[in-house]
Amino acid sequence: MTQSPTGSTPQEAEDFLAAHPSIEAFDIVLHDANGIGRGKIIRRHELMGLYKGGRHLPISILGLDIVGEDVHETGLIWDQGDGDLRAWPIPGTLKALHGTNPPRGEVLMSMYHLDGALMTSDPRHALARQVQAMADEGLYPAGAFELEFFLLDPDTTQGVRPAAAVLDGRRSDWTEVYSVDHLHGMEPLFSDIYRAAEAMGIKAETVISEYAPGQYELTLHYRTDVMQAADDLVRLKRIVRLQARRHGVTACFMAKPIEKYAGSGMHFHVSLCDATGRNIFAEEVEGIWTDSIRHAIGGLRQTMGESMLVFAPHGNSWRRFVGQSYAPVSPSWGVNNRSVALRIPAGDIKARRIEHRPSGVDANPYLVAATVLAGIRHGLKHRIDPGPETTGNGYAGDDALKIPRDWREAIEAATASEFLKDALGEDMHRTFTAIKAAEHGRVARWIADVDYALYLHNV
């Protein structure tokens, strides 16, 4: 196989090299089931070979756990002899990295079999499959993710605490929510983040000081291509992490890094257009909801319980779901209400959308988007009524539909789910659930400090 199945061409590489004569190396990045970028750094002279013939990578790269160890239960390790597959560049993703010395570039990759067939344990293919299924039905999703994260002090000898301002070294242990003056202390870092995003073609927009000490949120420009929206999110995470390190702080994308404060979400805003470009979620009279948006919410509500492992994939993810924390605890829906899981934001009717709020920032955006689109398709197909809107405090209600109580229940529900198997594809479903089960086993065997604090001298 010498012709790229992604549609990438050597001409793109030739043009890039001519336009960037100082770049010496390139990060080639493939995202695994956990959304972690894995790959290699290649030298400048190797780029043309990458675009002409792809790059061999072991099949096991898609069967790794959160710390990069093999998960044999995926069937992607010794069952396959850990043979090589071929990764190909994604068209339009070859970009310059801001602030690297010596200068480097980056290109996103996707995995294929040697004959060019899809390697369906690649998360990008799971999302592409749902996008195509919607296109076959004459529907075209658009969307954007929000990125919440913490900036922490890299010195953890005094515990996990917010980073001091990079501008003047001042430290605040207060929440500082929506404080503009507080943002000024991180201005040099955020300026570099914006410059790096611009170099990538990412439209990073509003930054706010979020609802915890050291917590921030960056919003992203709405995309008519949800694959590009997911690409924006994974690339922005890498940008924030790299630029934070350059400024001497740690960017943290755990869902819940600090016990007494809110965790970090990855809200996904999604709308749906028909072939004419009309937003089918948009009502004619404000507040008189279309059947389309109601049925979409109905599908998302009905499938949320069995899908929660995608939205909360790690043990730490489940520490985020507590009352009054801005993280939903049931598959509720409402209008202009941040205590629900599925929110219809206030605003212009023409921009009507669903804000899907369960996902933590530790989730894989490709799998989140694939699962959300599948839930919407399910609701539209079966014309599912979403039930009554939640008004007021969504944490106080008793929703008839439930989500799993913990990580183990979520793994069991996801593993047994025919909906999720269809949403992700059989191979991606097997790979993802096997990796999560193995990770759960690792955590369950771990004797944590709290065990010693409670039991060492008391039982």
Side-chain angles (χ1 to χ4, degrees):
M1 181 70 191
T2 57
Q3 184 174 355
S4 171
T6 67
S8 61
T9 65
Q11 188 65 51
E12 181 179 358
E14 286 182 13
D15 293 345
F16 187 90
L17 291 172
H20 299 84
S22 65
I23 287 183
E24 297 184 11
F26 296 87
D27 297 359
I28 62 172
V29 185
L30 176 82
H31 289 92
D32 69 8
N34 281 307
I36 294 173
R38 302 193 186 275
K40 301 181 179 183
I41 298 177
I42 64 172
R43 305 301 296 170
R44 180 184 178 90
H45 69 271
E46 297 178 274
L47 186 68
M48 287 305 303
L50 179 73
Y51 274 78
K52 289 179 178 179
R55 187 80 177 207
H56 284 154
L57 290 173
I59 191 173
S60 58
I61 202 170
L62 293 174
L64 303 176
D65 68 8
I66 192 67
V67 293
E69 294 191 5
D70 291 343
V71 177
H72 301 284
E73 293 81 0
T74 63
L76 301 179
I77 317 298
W78 300 123
D79 290 4
Q80 307 285 334
D82 196 19
D84 280 344
L85 300 184
R86 189 171 289 166
W88 289 91
I90 305 300
T93 66
L94 180 58
K95 303 290 183 180
L97 289 169
H98 169 72
T100 53
N101 185 23
R104 292 205 323 277
E106 178 186 271
V107 61
L108 300 185
M109 309 288 287
S110 194
M111 190 77 94
Y112 292 80
H113 290 284
L114 297 180
D115 63 359
L118 299 177
M119 200 295 160
T120 46
S121 288
D122 182 330
R124 288 185 66 93
H125 296 323
L127 176 52
R129 181 170 167 270
Q130 288 300 325
V131 171
Q132 184 59 54
M134 281 199 155
D136 292 344
E137 297 163 5
L139 298 172
Y140 304 90
F145 289 93
E146 297 174 8
L147 180 68
E148 295 179 0
F149 57 95
F150 282 80
L151 294 176
L152 302 176
D153 192 323
D155 181 1
T156 59
T157 57
Q158 300 182 54
V160 175
R161 58 179 184 162
V166 299
L167 187 64
D168 57 14
R170 293 177 58 190
R171 188 189 309 277
S172 174
D173 292 316
W174 299 103
T175 299
E176 305 281 10
V177 66
Y178 280 91
S179 168
V180 178
D181 288 345
H182 179 66
L183 292 174
H184 291 168
M186 292 295 181
E187 184 179 28
L189 169 54
F190 281 110
S191 293
D192 274 335
I193 289 170
Y194 281 122
R195 281 194 287 267
E198 184 178 3
M200 286 282 180
I202 297 170
K203 296 181 179 179
E205 297 185 330
T206 306
V207 60
I208 66 171
S209 179
E210 258 290 358
Y211 195 59
Q215 188 185 36
Y216 301 87
E217 178 188 279
L218 278 166
T219 60
L220 286 158
H221 186 72
Y222 217 70
R223 296 290 198 181
T224 56
D225 178 352
V226 295
M227 184 70 79
Q228 192 171 23
D231 287 345
D232 284 351
L233 194 285
V234 295
R235 298 190 102 159
L236 189 58
K237 284 178 74 172
R238 294 191 78 229
I239 286 169
V240 171
R241 184 177 284 117
L242 174 60
Q243 298 304 326
R245 291 177 71 181
R246 292 187 180 280
H247 285 272
V249 301
T250 296
C252 175
F253 300 104
M254 289 174 64
K256 181 80 168 181
I258 301 176
E259 176 187 353
K260 60 182 179 179
Y261 293 110
S264 292
M266 190 182 69
H267 304 160
F268 180 39
H269 294 251
V270 60
S271 56
L272 204 55
C273 292
D274 63 17
T276 69
R278 180 181 65 91
N279 181 359
I280 68 171
F281 287 168
E283 68 270 28
E284 292 185 9
V285 178
E286 188 166 4
I288 307 300
W289 310 117
T290 64
D291 285 344
S292 296
I293 199 168
R294 284 178 51 79
H295 294 152
I297 290 171
L300 291 171
R301 271 176 44 79
Q302 188 176 94
T303 59
M304 190 175 295
E306 58 200 296
S307 304
M308 279 302 297
L309 185 63
V310 172
F311 312 141
H314 308 294
N316 178 261
S317 309
W318 290 84
R319 302 189 188 282
R320 178 171 159 260
F321 297 106
V322 294
Q324 330 301 321
S325 66
Y326 293 97
V329 295
S330 68
S332 53
W333 78 279
V335 181
N336 195 22
N337 186 337
R338 286 183 170 85
S339 67
V340 298
L342 302 165
R343 172 180 175 245
I344 299 178
D348 188 345
I349 289 175
K350 291 181 291 185
R352 189 63 72 213
R353 63 195 187 276
I354 298 169
E355 180 187 8
H356 185 273
R357 297 174 58 82
S359 297
V361 75
D362 57 340
N364 182 329
Y366 299 107
L367 299 186
V368 168
T371 305
V372 168
L373 295 186
I376 290 173
R377 289 181 57 228
H378 178 77
L380 294 175
K381 177 181 179 180
H382 297 286
R383 301 182 64 81
I384 297 172
D385 191 310
E389 171 194 346
T390 295
T391 58
N393 185 357
Y395 297 107
D398 185 17
D399 200 305
L401 295 174
K402 305 295 183 184
I403 63 174
R405 291 172 295 180
D406 56 32
W407 191 27
R408 179 176 178 177
E409 280 192 9
I411 292 171
E412 292 171 350
T415 303
S417 172
E418 291 300 318
F419 163 78
L420 197 60
K421 186 179 294 184
D422 181 67
L424 303 181
E426 189 170 342
D427 290 339
M428 186 72 250
H429 175 266
R430 182 193 66 250
T431 298
F432 180 69
T433 54
I435 288 171
K436 294 297 101 184
E439 187 181 336
H440 179 272
R442 175 191 291 269
V443 173
R445 292 189 297 271
W446 197 304
I447 301 176
D449 289 346
V450 67
D451 285 18
Y452 296 113
L454 293 177
Y455 309 123
L456 179 61
H457 299 294
N458 297 322
V459 295

